[in-house]
Every structure is written in structure tokens, then in C-alpha cells.
Amino acid sequence: MSRRTDHTDTSSLENFLRPIVEQFGCDLEAADVAPAGRRRLLRVLVDRDGGISLDDVAEVTRAISKALDADDIMGDGAYTLEVSSPGVDRPLTLPRHWRRNVGRLVAVTPTAGAKVTGRIKSASDEAAELDVDGKVRTVAYADVAKAKVQIEFNRAAGKDDPETPADGTVEEN
């Protein structure tokens, strides 16, 4: 199906990319097009439970590139494709974001009340349980205005669950 356009709206782009990304067991976190000089920059963020490796990103990039070459959703103008995983500074906006960060320290600003910082103990589709100074506190996602993972530079090695990296990055030893 041909959709020639020089300005691709985010919704159409995400609908086009989502099934491609899902073939690799990944979630499409975001896609947007921004001007970059004479070109445009197409940024695609992908993630999955257990994190995403550089090899995974390369596979997804090849598949997206091939699909974009076969369709004119990006129009005639030149563009650069950038595929990556979300960084640790990504806000926690969906239940899967909370689930993927179990064990991490988060700062939560509720829609009402004072900001709270605690470690995610568990996450369901509706709420997360935080350890706040040794006490369990349930935080319903509907009551959260903003939540972000806190970077811990002094956390002892081995405290992170190796199956759940916070930002999907791969560490090289």
C-alpha cells in the first residue's frame, strides 16, 4: 500500500512499524521524525522484557530499513534511521515499564500528595509495590503524575537482576 508523504505523522508511522518490531518479540516504545538539516531523522525506540541486545537492535534495524525501502511512507525526502532502546531516564508510563524495572529505585510524583522514592518490589497491570524505607507501599499507576528510575552509582555489584536490565543496554566485560 502506497502512502506518499513528505511529512509522516507519528500515528501512521507507529502503526506501520509496530508489526515489524513485534516480529522480533519487541515492543515499539516510540517513533518520531525530526528535522536534521536537509534530512530528517527517524528515531525508533524498541524494548522487550529481559532487555534488548545490540544484535537485537541490528536485526530490528535491518527489518525496518527493508520495510521502509519497500514502502514510501517516508516520502521522497532523505532521512536517517536510528533504532535504539530507551535510556534509563525514560519515564515509567506503562505497566511494562514498571515490570521491566523491578528491583530498581524510582522517584514517583503522585497526582496528589508528596513525592516518594522507593524500590520496585513487584508490578501488575494496575499498580506497583514499592519498598519505601522498609515499608511496602502500593502505587496505582492511575495516581502517578510522573515516575523515573533513579541512577544508583554506589549500589553494590550483583544487586541487579541480570534478567531485567533497566535500560536495555549491554555491558561489555
Side-chain angles (χ1 to χ4, degrees), residues 70-100:
D71 192 289
D72 62 357
I73 191 168
M74 289 298 292
D76 292 332
Y79 66 91
T80 300
L81 172 62
E82 177 184 290
V83 178
S84 64
S85 64
V88 71
D89 61 341
R90 168 196 50 198
L92 305 179
T93 58
L94 298 171
R96 70 176 178 246
H97 300 158
W98 291 83
R99 183 180 67 244
R100 289 175 180 157

Side-chain angles (χ1 to χ4, degrees), residues 6-172:
D6 289 328
H7 174 74
T8 306
D9 70 279
T10 303
S11 179
S12 296
L13 189 56
E14 288 179 351
N15 290 336
F16 177 81
L17 296 172
R18 188 168 287 109
I20 299 164
V21 170
E22 288 174 350
Q23 291 176 50
F24 297 91
C26 298
D27 295 308
L28 177 65
E29 294 294 338
D32 70 276
V33 179
R38 293 185 206 182
R39 300 175 151 261
R40 292 170 293 157
L41 176 61
L42 168 55
R43 281 196 181 109
V44 180
L45 297 180
V46 297
D47 202 3
R48 77 165 133 214
D49 289 357
I52 190 163
S53 71
L54 294 176
D55 289 339
D56 297 332
V57 170
E59 284 182 346
V60 171
T61 301
R62 282 190 292 273
I64 290 173
S65 181
K66 185 177 178 181
L68 290 171
D69 288 347
D71 192 289
D72 62 357
I73 191 168
M74 289 298 292
D76 292 332
Y79 66 91
T80 300
L81 172 62
E82 177 184 290
V83 178
S84 64
S85 64
V88 71
D89 61 341
R90 168 196 50 198
L92 305 179
T93 58
L94 298 171
R96 70 176 178 246
H97 300 158
W98 291 83
R99 183 180 67 244
R100 289 175 180 157
N101 284 289
V102 167
R104 298 280 185 180
L105 191 66
V106 294
V108 180
T109 304
T111 53
K115 184 176 181 178
V116 64
T117 300
R119 193 164 306 281
I120 303 173
K121 294 180 65 65
S122 65
S124 70
D125 286 340
E126 294 83 31
E129 285 192 347
L130 303 182
D131 178 340
V132 180
D133 298 324
K135 295 179 182 163
V136 176
R137 178 168 173 179
T138 300
V139 176
Y141 306 137
D143 298 334
V144 173
K146 179 179 168 186
K148 279 194 166 186
V149 171
Q150 301 300 288
I151 298 171
E152 298 177 88
F153 292 109
N154 59 354
R155 190 158 187 216
K159 295 292 184 183
D160 288 337
D161 180 344
E163 300 297 334
T164 337
D167 61 3
T169 58
V170 177
E171 291 184 25
E172 293 186 24

